[in-house]
Amino acid sequence: MVGRPRRSCFRCNNQKVRCNGVRPTCDRCKRIRHICSYEGAQPEPYGYVSSPRSSTANVESRYADREEQQSSPRQPDFQARYCGIPRSLIGDLVDIYFSHVYNARLLLHKDTVVEAVSARTATSHVVLSICAFASKYYRDAAGNHSLSESGFGQEWASIAGSMVATELGEPKEENIVTFINLALYWYSEGEWRKAFIYKWNGIQIAYVLGVPAPSPHGTTSSLRTEVTRRRFWACACIMLFGSKADFVVSTLSDSLTKVPLPCPESRFGKDTLSPPTESGHNTIFAALIHILMLWNAVYQSVKDGDLQLNTLQSLNSRIESWNTSLPSDLEFSPDSLNDALAQDQHLVLLLHTIYDQCLCTLHSSIVPLFCWGMSCDGT
């Protein structure tokens, strides 16, 4: 007997979510900007790329079309492009990336990136991954998300992924940057499988390359050493966010205790700098790393299902100690947010979001402790 024809698209059907069946693109796929396809129909191409070379040329031609449509009196200057993207737009996207992405300053040094793009020596897949991620926050003069709505973000991310994949046989440290950027980008697009693959490629490359080799505390270090150290912490943060405590503890426990925390931002960018001490968390990234470690401990304890009251009290004490020892400029208050630099405001919000998440998760776990025991009559 012939069954009823399926009304939902392939993506909604695979993810077991409701689909309104609108063709050629259902409302859900349109909202999250994904390729929508139905049984017996060709998918509507949205940001799909076949190869890095053809796609870069396509980006360039689409930008040319857009500039012509804006009736500019002069022809587009293709010499002013890099990776097929107008250089002026890359500058805007780099600024957006460093002001909006929480781990941008852990992965890259902004001045170095700007100089490399200007000299056309920046690695193409790194630039494309930056532009893809920043396209999510970009708004044109009319206030529209024109890059993401036109599919450029997905296109650039696909090109970057194809490029960096060819280097897996001989990985370089800069591959970590691209893989972590792509992991966060695709996760924000709802593609968690892609995000998971890119995430662990970046982490495993850091592990294989030994990023970084622990250095003695109190010694001076170069900017290059600090950048490498920060990339280690970027990998640690994304693991702690993902609650993979088993991997963190078993594989990176020594590094987590021996690698110096990121230096103060006021010193980041100097030719020679002194790494901070390991006690306290007086810098914004040190505070982020510590609260993420606490979140991971809370998550793992609750997930294991054997949380005891003394463990709960100990974790609560550590979380509150973290909060009370924060410097005044990192406290959650209107004054501190107004005084914070623009590039730090979203990080201050992130710190206290994770802090509240730790407390909510920990305190809600108290209920099962009083509900799973035997009743008064022994049943």
Side-chain angles (χ1 to χ4, degrees):
M1 182 176 67
V2 179
R4 187 179 66 176
R6 185 170 59 202
R7 183 169 177 263
S8 60
C9 70
F10 284 116
R11 180 176 296 278
C12 294
N13 183 69
N14 291 337
Q15 297 183 358
K16 307 297 186 212
V17 296
R18 186 180 297 278
C19 178
N20 64 358
V22 174
R23 302 194 182 206
T25 304
C26 72
D27 287 352
R28 182 173 181 271
C29 288
K30 179 183 288 187
R31 177 172 54 82
I32 62 177
R33 299 187 294 278
H34 280 300
I35 298 172
C36 185
S37 58
Y38 290 88
E39 187 174 1
Q42 292 295 322
E44 179 181 341
Y46 190 95
Y48 174 78
V49 293
S50 56
S51 68
R53 179 175 298 179
S54 64
S55 300
T56 303
N58 188 36
V59 171
E60 195 162 290
S61 65
R62 287 162 68 188
Y63 268 119
D65 293 341
R66 177 170 295 175
E67 291 182 15
E68 290 173 359
Q69 290 171 5
Q70 292 175 348
S71 64
S72 175
R74 56 192 178 89
Q75 293 297 319
D77 180 9
F78 289 106
Q79 297 300 321
R81 298 175 184 272
Y82 190 57
C83 300
I85 308 172
R87 295 278 287 277
S88 60
L89 180 59
I90 291 180
D92 292 341
L93 293 175
V94 168
D95 288 339
I96 292 171
Y97 173 78
F98 279 96
S99 63
H100 286 68
V101 178
Y102 88 92
N103 61 355
R105 285 176 284 159
L106 291 178
L107 292 170
L108 293 163
H109 179 244
K110 183 177 179 180
D111 290 344
T112 303
V113 173
V114 172
E115 291 173 4
V117 171
S118 298
R120 302 180 70 88
T121 58
T123 304
S124 295
H125 58 71
V126 173
V127 174
L128 287 167
S129 70
I130 291 173
C131 291
F133 207 163
S135 70
K136 298 186 68 66
Y137 309 103
Y138 175 86
R139 292 197 180 197
D140 58 23
N144 299 318
H145 294 278
S146 53
L147 292 179
S148 58
E149 290 172 357
S150 299
F152 285 118
Q154 290 196 358
E155 189 163 353
W156 294 332
S158 298
I159 298 170
S162 298
M163 287 180 172
V164 74
T166 64
E167 300 179 4
L168 282 173
E170 298 180 1
K172 306 176 184 66
E173 189 181 314
E174 61 190 5
N175 297 156
I176 299 170
V177 178
T178 301
F179 278 124
I180 298 299
N181 279 340
L182 293 178
L184 293 174
Y185 173 81
W186 287 115
Y187 187 85
S188 69
E189 290 287 297
E191 294 278 2
W192 64 268
R193 290 183 179 87
K194 281 185 181 180
F196 191 86
I197 292 170
Y198 284 129
K199 164 186 167 180
W200 285 106
N201 272 319
I203 291 169
Q204 292 294 346
I205 288 173
Y207 177 69
V208 169
L209 296 181
V211 175
S215 58
H217 299 335
T219 60
T220 59
S221 60
S222 65
L223 173 62
R224 180 72 200 129
T225 303
E226 175 65 17
V227 170
T228 299
R229 183 185 300 127
R230 283 174 173 243
R231 287 173 180 169
F232 163 81
W233 286 116
C235 292
C237 284
I238 199 171
M239 282 191 291
L240 294 167
F241 263 126
S243 304
K244 287 289 181 181
D246 51 347
F247 186 89
V248 173
V249 172
S250 63
T251 306
L252 297 179
S253 56
D254 289 340
S255 295
L256 287 171
T257 57
K258 295 178 181 178
V259 175
L261 293 167
C263 71
E265 294 305 296
S266 60
R267 296 290 301 159
F268 186 40
K270 307 294 184 182
D271 292 335
T272 303
L273 45 89
S274 300
T277 59
E278 294 307 292
S279 59
H281 48 271
N282 58 343
T283 67
I284 195 162
F285 283 114
L288 176 63
I289 291 164
H290 282 139
I291 192 61
L292 280 173
M293 289 180 177
L294 289 171
W295 159 246
N296 200 274
V298 169
Y299 175 88
Q300 197 63 28
S301 297
V302 173
K303 183 179 179 182
D304 288 345
D306 57 352
L307 185 64
Q308 302 297 318
L309 195 57
N310 58 344
T311 304
L312 187 149
Q313 292 172 335
S314 174
L315 284 172
N316 186 78
S317 176
R318 289 167 59 192
I319 294 168
E320 292 298 347
S321 176
W322 174 90
N323 186 48
T324 56
S325 60
L326 277 176
S328 59
D329 58 331
L330 298 183
E331 293 176 354
F332 188 65
S333 67
D335 291 338
S336 63
L337 288 176
N338 287 332
D339 294 339
L341 298 174
Q343 64 181 3
D344 289 339
Q345 287 179 345
H346 67 291
L347 283 172
V348 174
L349 290 172
L350 178 61
L351 287 177
H352 292 277
T353 299
I354 300 172
Y355 164 73
D356 290 337
Q357 179 175 276
C358 288
L359 289 181
C360 289
T361 303
L362 191 64
H363 291 177
S364 64
S365 67
I366 296 175
V367 176
L369 294 179
F370 296 97
C371 297
W372 289 350
M374 291 188 298
S375 62
C376 296
D377 58 1
T379 59

